[in-house]
């Protein structure tokens, strides 16, 4: 463990480059609106992401109402339903989760946790947000154009996406593609910033192998996104050409309701390859930051170093690399060459190994810990449970032959909601409860938090666990109504109604959470300086909340990894990263030698 | 305390739910029982891991919950344990992958004696084409499609003349005989899905995809579309009847062939022209 903790005589590398000058705002406008401070940009990103996420949440209620009580809602017709699922899915995955994890948490935490004053390109960082906002507005505008938003499913598969049998084929699909392209442009600006900041602007002594796992998760997720999003960008552009200029990238010769079309020679499967070359890494773009953050939440609240830190880092890197060679597991029934199945099933199941190791290390972190069941900890535990549950159903769907009966059924819907919906969102909640005091100086209300936690956790499990069984029966996904079938028993309809009720209850709990966010801003208990007794740098700033420039006159110097909890010999049960060994208060009768002895 | 109990309840409750709940797959009607077996195997391997992880977590919470004087143990890593866990996990994963790939090998290897049936999807209807006496299907192309040639069968291909066409109606197949479904779409993606067969595959315009099954019991089963194909996706239904050879022969002999359909179309056209010719002179006067 020599590279993670440093003995007193460890030399702190000298400063290699002069500190950069920050642009200091002079007016309300440059301080809060066109701000170049990553922390403000982070909050802007988060607010927009959560707002648009609320739209997706409301859409999910409407969908659930339709599925649970198919004949009761005249105002939802099939076209609406398909538009709802499409917008819901796309918003949740891209405009909420990606934006919140990278634009929100990334912006806030990267400079603070690596010990930098700001992102290295603050101006570009600001542009990134404004382009993101534009992308969101373009997306929202599609609700108001003739024909409404696209109903092609969030996967936007051509030819269907741009033909007349699909709602929103007039303008909705064009706006969707335009919005995605804008999002990618905006993300690229931010993403380059995150990567360069992590690689170039770390505080002295903050070696890569001393970085908190939160930063590792966000870092690798950003790298994935920078490689993956271009595939979506070109796919969107090509589809836009197919739609507007009638090129035939994805369009073979076809008949549209009896009429021969002018297209010919294109390949719909090519689009699927491009989409999933983006789409699979996208899963990890959402998951890796969650992995990182949850590791830190567990460690802080168990007062114990994360178990197997180096393994955790390599698992993140390994998963990130493997994420690019598994994409076609989404295409087992797409009609691609069936022999691909052997390759992609194998890579997909291999990726399960580093993933499982991460799970083991999380639970092993609890072993012989000193567990504080704070709200962030509860969410972290809920993450482990839902992630393991969603992860194992991934082993069903990744194993090509098992996927055949299950693909395109509600089993898939249950799987991906559990693993990339519920689980990462548990982490987001945990993270918000954890860092809210840093942002506002106040704690979130505990009672409301407990209510929010229990209803969300148990409710979400009640929604998605039984849903797998609808998939086993064979209930297909993306069905406006099931109609008459011989194989779906009546009890399945009762189950659907139950799931709808659970979804509405869970949705309601989110309103309590939002209320808590606003209420505690003024009325919450004033937080201590470092309320969770964390080791990482963001809690060691001069001011809390940190001001522009993050750290006071001097940047912190880092002497150790982020996980020096309960170090034998030390009096306190944590040693901040920026505390030199000579400053560590020793427990009675201990010498510095005792401190070191345990660490190697 | 409560947290640990809830975790234990969820872990064990999920297993109990799995065993007692009434929702499970419908009785299989094809040879792909192996798929069901692989699912069950996967369920028990992964289920064990799930329960073990959650129970371990619950135990830790009970045992190591904070109390006065407790201090966490300091142990950055444990190589041996980590290696052990990697090896065990790899074995578990291989234990699911290997049987899976063996069954997949069978799935992609179509028996020589399989008879071919074409499934043609179109928004939002299922159509089928069965080879006639020659046992071969004629070629098709989008450019041959018109009102009278729904399937786009090449009129010059001798193999196509006796093809049996089923337009938007039920399909019948023979029990116990392997069938290779050739899947084709004239417009968007669809997916030919019969839950009782377990198998499914997309229909993709521009290419012909396939899968094969051997029906193992008689009955009539729903055909659903499992790939979003537009606003009528959920209404794209059909049904397939598995029956004994004699019943099948009777059914197929009642269906129209391409030749017959073409002849009927020609007949209609001639009649129409005739009627028009009779009408026109009168109109002129
Ligand atoms: C309580 C919260 C949620 C509820 C009740 C919910 C409900 C639903 C429902 C009913 C569907 C349509 C299923 C179908 O008929 O095929 C759906 C689709 C989907 N949801 Fe959610 N959802 C929730 C949260 C999320 C989250 C957090 C994500 C982020 C990963 C997400 C991602 C998706 C995606 C990608 C689809 C697929 C859309 C498509 O088929 O094109 N959902 N959701
Ligand atoms: Cu994937
Ligand atoms: Cu369909």
């Amino acid at each position: 463990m020599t590279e993670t903790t440093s003995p007193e005589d460890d030399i702190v590398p000298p400063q290699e480059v002069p500190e950069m000058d920050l642009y200091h705002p002079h007016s309300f406008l440059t301080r809060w609106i066109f701000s170049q401070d990553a922390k403000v940009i982070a909050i802007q990103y988060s607010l927009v992401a959560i707002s648009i996420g609320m739209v997706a949440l409301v859409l999910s209620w409407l969908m659930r109402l339709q599925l649970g009580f198919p004949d009761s809602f005249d105002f939802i017709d099939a076209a609406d339903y398909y538009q709802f699922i499409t917008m819901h899915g796309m918003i949740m995955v891209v405009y909420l989760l990606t934006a919140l994890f990278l634009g929100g948490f990334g912006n806030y935490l990267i400079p603070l946790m690596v010990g930098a004053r700001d992102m290295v390109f603050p101006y570009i960082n600001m542009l990134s947000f404004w382009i993101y906002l534009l992308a969101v507005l373009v997306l929202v505008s599609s609700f108001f154009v003739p024909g409404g938003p696209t109903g092609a499913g969030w996967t936007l598969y051509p030819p269907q996406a741009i033909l007349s049998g699909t709602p929103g084929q007039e303008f909705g699909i064009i706006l969707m593609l335009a919005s995605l392209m804008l999002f990618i442009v905006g993300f690229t600006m931010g993403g380059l910033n995150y990567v360069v900041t992590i690689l170039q602007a770390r505080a002295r002594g903050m070696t890569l192998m001393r970085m908190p796992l939160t930063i590792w998760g966000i870092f690798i997720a950003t790298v994935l996104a920078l490689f993956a999003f271009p595939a979506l960008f070109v796919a969107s552009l090509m589809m836009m050409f197919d739609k507007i200029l009638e090129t035939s990238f994805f369009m073979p010769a076809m008949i549209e309701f009896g009429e021969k079309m002018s297209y010919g020679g294109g390949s719909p499967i090519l689009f699927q390859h491009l989409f999933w070359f983006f789409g699979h890494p996208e899963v990890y773009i959402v998951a890796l930051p969650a992995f990182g953050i949850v590791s830190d939440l567990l460690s802080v609240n168990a007062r114990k170093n994360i178990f197997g830190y180096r393994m955790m880092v390599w698992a993140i890197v390994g998963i990130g690399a493997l994420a690019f060679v598994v994409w076609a597991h989404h295409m087992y029934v797409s009609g691609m060459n069936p022999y691909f199945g052997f390759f992609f099933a194998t890579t997909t199941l291999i990726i399960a190994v580093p993933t499982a190791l991460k799970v083991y290390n999380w639970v092993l972190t609890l072993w012989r810990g000193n567990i504080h069941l704070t709200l962030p900890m509860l969410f972290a535990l809920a993450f482990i449970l839902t992630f393991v549950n969603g992860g194992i159903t991934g082993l069903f769907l990744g194993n090509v032959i098992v996927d055949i009966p299950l693909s395109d059924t509600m089993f898939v819907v249950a799987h991906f909601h559990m693993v990339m919906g519920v689980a990462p969102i548990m982490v987001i909640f945990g993270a918000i409860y954890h860092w809210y005091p840093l942002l506002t100086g106040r704690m979130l209300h505990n009672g409301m938090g407990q209510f929010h936690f229990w209803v969300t956790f148990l409710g979400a499990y009640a929604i998605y666990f039984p849903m797998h069984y609808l998939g086993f029966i064979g209930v297909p996904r993306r069905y406006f109504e099931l109609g008459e079938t011989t194989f779906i028993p009546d009890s399945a309809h009762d189950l659907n109604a139950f799931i709808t009720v659970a979804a509405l209850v869970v949705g309601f709990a989110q309103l309590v959470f939002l209320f808590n966010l606003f209420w505690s801003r003024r009325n919450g208990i004033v937080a201590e300086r470092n309320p969770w007794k964390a080791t990482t740098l963001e809690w060691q700033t001069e001011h809390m909340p940190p001001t522009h420039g993050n750290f006071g006159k001097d940047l912190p110097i880092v002497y150790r990894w982020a996980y020096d909890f309960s170090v034998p010999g030390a009096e306190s049960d944590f040693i901040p990263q920026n505390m030199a060994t000579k400053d560590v208060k020793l427990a009675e009768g201990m010498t510095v030698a005792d401190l070191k002895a345990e660490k190697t | 305390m409560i947290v640990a109990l809830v975790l234990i309840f969820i872990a064990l409750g999920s297993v109990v739910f799995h065993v007692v709940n009434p929702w499970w797959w419908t009785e299989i009607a094809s040879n792909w029982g192996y798929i069901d077996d692989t699912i069950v195997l996967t369920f028990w391997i992964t289920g064990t891991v799930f329960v073990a992880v959650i129970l371990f977590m619950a135990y830790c919470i009970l045992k190591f919950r904070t109390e006065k004087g407790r201090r966490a143990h300091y142990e950055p890593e444990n190589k041996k344990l980590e290696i052990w866990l990697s090896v065990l996990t790899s074995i578990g994963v291989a234990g699911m992958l290997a049987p899976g790939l063996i069954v997949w090998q069978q799935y992609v290897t179509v028996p020589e004696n399989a008879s071919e049936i074409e499934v043609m999807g179109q928004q939002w209807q299922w159509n089928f084409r069965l080879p006639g006496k020659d046992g071969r299907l004629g070629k098709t192309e989008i450019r041959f499609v018109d009102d009278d040639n729904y399937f786009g069968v090449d009129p010059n291909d001798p193999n196509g003349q006796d093809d049996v066409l089923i337009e938007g109606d039920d399909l019948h197949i023979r029990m116990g005989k392997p069938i290779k479904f050739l899947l084709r779409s004239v417009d968007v993606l669809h997916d030919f899905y019969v839950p009782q067969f377990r198998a499914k595959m997309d229909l993709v315009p521009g290419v012909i995809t396939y899968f094969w099954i051997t029906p193992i019991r008689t009955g009539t089963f729903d055909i659903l579309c499992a790939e979003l194909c537009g606003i009528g996706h959920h209404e794209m239904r059909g049904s397939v009847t598995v029956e004994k050879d004699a019943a099948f022969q009777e059914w197929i002999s009642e269906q129209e062939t391409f030749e017959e359909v073409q002849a009927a179309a020609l007949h209609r056209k001639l009649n129409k022209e005739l009627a028009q010719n009779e009408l026109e002179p009168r109109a002129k006067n």
Side-chain angles (χ1 to χ4, degrees), chain A residues 475-512:
Chain A
V475 176
R477 69 188 278 210
R478 293 170 166 174
Y479 260 42
F480 168 63
E481 58 193 1
L482 295 175
E484 291 289 309
T485 60
T486 50
F487 68 99
I488 302 176
D490 281 341
S491 59
H493 299 288
D494 300 337
L495 178 57
N496 252 328
F498 166 79
I499 291 176
T500 296
V501 173
L504 295 176
V505 172
V506 169
F508 167 73
Q510 307 320 306
L511 302 182
V512 174

Coordinates of all heavy atoms in Angstrom, one line a residue, chain A residues 475-512:
Chain A
V475 N -45.2 -11.1 -21.8 CA -45.8 -9.8 -22.0 C -44.8 -8.9 -22.7 O -43.7 -8.6 -22.2 CB -46.3 -9.1 -20.7 CG1 -46.8 -7.7 -21.0 CG2 -47.3 -10.0 -20.0
P476 N -45.1 -8.5 -24.0 CA -44.1 -7.6 -24.7 C -44.1 -6.2 -24.2 O -45.0 -5.7 -23.5 CB -44.6 -7.6 -26.1 CG -46.1 -8.0 -26.0 CD -46.3 -8.7 -24.7
R477 N -42.9 -5.5 -24.4 CA -42.8 -4.2 -24.0 C -43.3 -3.3 -25.1 O -43.6 -3.7 -26.2 CB -41.4 -3.8 -23.6 CG -40.5 -3.8 -24.9 CD -39.0 -3.6 -24.5 NE -38.6 -2.2 -24.3 CZ -37.4 -1.7 -24.5 NH1 -36.5 -2.5 -25.0 NH2 -37.2 -0.5 -24.3
R478 N -43.4 -2.0 -24.8 CA -43.9 -1.0 -25.8 C -45.3 -1.4 -26.3 O -45.5 -1.3 -27.6 CB -42.9 -0.9 -26.9 CG -41.6 -0.2 -26.4 CD -40.5 -0.3 -27.5 NE -39.4 0.6 -27.2 CZ -38.3 0.6 -27.9 NH1 -38.1 -0.2 -28.9 NH2 -37.3 1.4 -27.6
Y479 N -46.1 -1.9 -25.5 CA -47.5 -2.2 -25.9 C -48.5 -1.3 -25.3 O -48.6 -1.2 -24.0 CB -47.8 -3.7 -25.5 CG -47.7 -4.6 -26.7 CD1 -46.6 -4.5 -27.5 CD2 -48.6 -5.6 -26.9 CE1 -46.4 -5.3 -28.6 CE2 -48.5 -6.5 -28.0 CZ -47.4 -6.3 -28.8 OH -47.2 -7.2 -29.9
F480 N -49.2 -0.5 -26.1 CA -50.2 0.4 -25.6 C -51.3 -0.3 -24.8 O -51.7 0.1 -23.8 CB -50.8 1.1 -26.8 CG -52.0 1.9 -26.5 CD1 -52.0 3.0 -25.7 CD2 -53.2 1.6 -27.1 CE1 -53.1 3.7 -25.4 CE2 -54.4 2.3 -26.8 CZ -54.3 3.4 -26.0
E481 N -51.7 -1.5 -25.3 CA -52.6 -2.3 -24.5 C -52.3 -3.8 -25.0 O -51.9 -4.0 -26.1 CB -54.0 -1.9 -24.7 CG -54.5 -2.0 -26.1 CD -55.8 -1.3 -26.4 OE1 -56.3 -0.7 -25.4 OE2 -56.3 -1.3 -27.5
L482 N -52.6 -4.7 -24.0 CA -52.4 -6.1 -24.4 C -53.4 -6.7 -25.2 O -53.2 -7.7 -25.9 CB -52.2 -6.9 -23.1 CG -50.9 -6.4 -22.3 CD1 -50.8 -7.1 -21.0 CD2 -49.7 -6.7 -23.1
G483 N -54.7 -6.2 -25.1 CA -55.7 -6.7 -25.9 C -56.0 -8.2 -25.6 O -55.8 -8.6 -24.5
E484 N -56.5 -8.9 -26.5 CA -56.9 -10.3 -26.3 C -55.7 -11.2 -26.6 O -55.1 -11.1 -27.6 CB -58.0 -10.7 -27.3 CG -59.3 -10.1 -27.0 CD -60.0 -10.6 -25.8 OE1 -60.1 -11.9 -25.7 OE2 -60.3 -9.8 -24.9
T485 N -55.3 -12.0 -25.6 CA -54.3 -13.0 -25.9 C -54.8 -14.3 -25.1 O -55.6 -14.2 -24.2 CB -52.9 -12.7 -25.3 OG1 -53.0 -12.5 -23.9 CG2 -52.4 -11.4 -26.0
T486 N -54.2 -15.4 -25.6 CA -54.6 -16.6 -24.9 C -53.6 -16.9 -23.7 O -53.9 -17.8 -22.9 CB -54.5 -17.8 -25.8 OG1 -53.3 -17.8 -26.5 CG2 -55.7 -17.7 -26.8
F487 N -52.4 -16.3 -23.7 CA -51.4 -16.7 -22.8 C -51.2 -15.8 -21.6 O -50.5 -16.1 -20.7 CB -50.1 -16.9 -23.5 CG -49.5 -15.6 -24.1 CD1 -48.5 -15.0 -23.3 CD2 -49.9 -15.1 -25.2 CE1 -47.9 -13.8 -23.8 CE2 -49.4 -13.9 -25.7 CZ -48.4 -13.2 -25.0
I488 N -51.8 -14.6 -21.6 CA -51.7 -13.7 -20.5 C -52.8 -13.9 -19.5 O -54.0 -13.6 -19.9 CB -51.6 -12.3 -21.0 CG1 -50.4 -12.1 -21.9 CG2 -51.4 -11.3 -19.8 CD1 -50.2 -10.7 -22.5
P489 N -52.6 -14.4 -18.3 CA -53.7 -14.6 -17.4 C -54.2 -13.3 -16.8 O -53.6 -12.3 -16.8 CB -53.1 -15.5 -16.3 CG -51.6 -15.1 -16.3 CD -51.3 -14.8 -17.7
D490 N -55.5 -13.4 -16.3 CA -56.1 -12.2 -15.7 C -55.2 -11.6 -14.6 O -55.2 -10.4 -14.4 CB -57.5 -12.5 -15.2 CG -58.4 -12.5 -16.4 OD1 -58.1 -12.0 -17.5 OD2 -59.5 -13.1 -16.2
S491 N -54.6 -12.6 -13.9 CA -53.8 -12.1 -12.7 C -52.7 -11.2 -13.1 O -52.3 -10.3 -12.4 CB -53.3 -13.3 -11.9 OG -52.5 -14.1 -12.8
A492 N -52.2 -11.3 -14.4 CA -51.2 -10.4 -14.8 C -51.7 -9.0 -14.9 O -50.9 -8.1 -14.7 CB -50.7 -10.9 -16.2
H493 N -53.0 -8.9 -15.3 CA -53.5 -7.5 -15.3 C -53.6 -6.9 -13.9 O -53.4 -5.7 -13.7 CB -54.9 -7.5 -16.0 CG -54.8 -8.0 -17.4 ND1 -54.3 -7.3 -18.4 CD2 -55.2 -9.2 -18.0 CE1 -54.3 -8.0 -19.6 NE2 -54.9 -9.1 -19.3
D494 N -53.9 -7.8 -12.9 CA -54.0 -7.3 -11.5 C -52.6 -6.8 -11.1 O -52.4 -5.8 -10.5 CB -54.4 -8.4 -10.6 CG -55.8 -8.9 -11.0 OD1 -56.5 -8.1 -11.6 OD2 -56.2 -10.0 -10.6
L495 N -51.6 -7.6 -11.5 CA -50.2 -7.2 -11.2 C -49.9 -5.9 -11.8 O -49.3 -5.0 -11.2 CB -49.2 -8.3 -11.7 CG -47.7 -8.0 -11.5 CD1 -47.5 -7.8 -10.0 CD2 -46.9 -9.2 -12.0
N496 N -50.3 -5.7 -13.1 CA -50.1 -4.4 -13.7 C -50.7 -3.3 -13.0 O -50.1 -2.2 -12.8 CB -50.6 -4.4 -15.1 CG -49.5 -4.5 -16.2 OD1 -48.4 -3.9 -15.9 ND2 -49.7 -5.2 -17.3
A497 N -51.9 -3.5 -12.5 CA -52.5 -2.4 -11.7 C -51.8 -2.2 -10.4 O -51.6 -1.0 -10.0 CB -54.0 -2.9 -11.4
F498 N -51.3 -3.2 -9.8 CA -50.5 -3.0 -8.5 C -49.3 -2.2 -8.8 O -48.9 -1.3 -8.1 CB -50.1 -4.4 -8.0 CG -49.1 -4.3 -6.9 CD1 -49.4 -4.0 -5.6 CD2 -47.7 -4.6 -7.2 CE1 -48.4 -3.9 -4.7 CE2 -46.7 -4.5 -6.3 CZ -47.1 -4.2 -5.0
I499 N -48.6 -2.6 -9.9 CA -47.3 -1.8 -10.2 C -47.6 -0.4 -10.5 O -46.9 0.5 -10.0 CB -46.7 -2.5 -11.5 CG1 -46.2 -3.9 -11.2 CG2 -45.6 -1.6 -12.0 CD1 -45.6 -4.6 -12.4
T500 N -48.8 -0.1 -11.1 CA -49.1 1.3 -11.3 C -49.3 2.1 -10.0 O -48.8 3.2 -9.8 CB -50.4 1.4 -12.2 OG1 -50.1 0.8 -13.5 CG2 -50.8 2.8 -12.4
V501 N -50.0 1.4 -9.1 CA -50.2 2.1 -7.8 C -48.9 2.3 -7.1 O -48.6 3.4 -6.6 CB -51.1 1.2 -6.9 CG1 -51.2 1.8 -5.5 CG2 -52.5 1.1 -7.5
A502 N -48.0 1.3 -7.1 CA -46.7 1.5 -6.5 C -45.9 2.7 -7.2 O -45.3 3.5 -6.5 CB -45.9 0.2 -6.6
A503 N -46.0 2.8 -8.5 CA -45.3 3.8 -9.2 C -45.8 5.2 -8.8 O -45.0 6.1 -8.7 CB -45.4 3.6 -10.8
L504 N -47.1 5.3 -8.7 CA -47.7 6.6 -8.3 C -47.2 7.0 -6.9 O -46.9 8.1 -6.6 CB -49.2 6.6 -8.3 CG -49.7 6.4 -9.8 CD1 -51.3 6.3 -9.7 CD2 -49.3 7.6 -10.7
V505 N -47.2 6.0 -6.0 CA -46.7 6.3 -4.6 C -45.2 6.7 -4.6 O -44.9 7.7 -4.0 CB -46.9 5.0 -3.7 CG1 -46.2 5.2 -2.4 CG2 -48.4 4.7 -3.6
V506 N -44.4 6.0 -5.4 CA -43.0 6.4 -5.5 C -42.9 7.8 -6.0 O -42.1 8.6 -5.6 CB -42.2 5.4 -6.3 CG1 -40.8 5.9 -6.6 CG2 -42.1 4.0 -5.6
G507 N -43.7 8.1 -7.0 CA -43.6 9.4 -7.6 C -44.0 10.5 -6.6 O -43.3 11.5 -6.5
F508 N -44.9 10.2 -5.8 CA -45.3 11.1 -4.8 C -44.2 11.4 -3.8 O -43.9 12.5 -3.4 CB -46.6 10.6 -4.0 CG -46.9 11.4 -2.8 CD1 -47.4 12.7 -2.8 CD2 -46.6 10.8 -1.5 CE1 -47.6 13.4 -1.7 CE2 -46.8 11.6 -0.3 CZ -47.3 12.8 -0.4
A509 N -43.5 10.3 -3.4 CA -42.4 10.5 -2.5 C -41.3 11.5 -3.1 O -40.6 12.2 -2.3 CB -41.7 9.2 -2.2
Q510 N -41.2 11.5 -4.4 CA -40.2 12.4 -5.0 C -40.6 13.9 -4.7 O -39.7 14.8 -4.6 CB -40.0 12.2 -6.5 CG -39.7 10.7 -6.8 CD -38.8 10.0 -5.8 OE1 -37.7 10.5 -5.6 NE2 -39.2 8.9 -5.2
L511 N -41.9 14.1 -4.6 CA -42.3 15.5 -4.4 C -41.9 15.9 -3.0 O -41.5 17.1 -2.7 CB -43.8 15.6 -4.5 CG -44.3 15.2 -5.9 CD1 -45.8 15.4 -6.1 CD2 -43.6 16.0 -7.0
V512 N -42.0 15.0 -2.1 CA -41.5 15.2 -0.7 C -40.0 15.6 -0.7 O -39.6 16.6 -0.1 CB -41.7 14.0 0.2 CG1 -41.1 14.3 1.6 CG2 -43.2 13.7 0.3

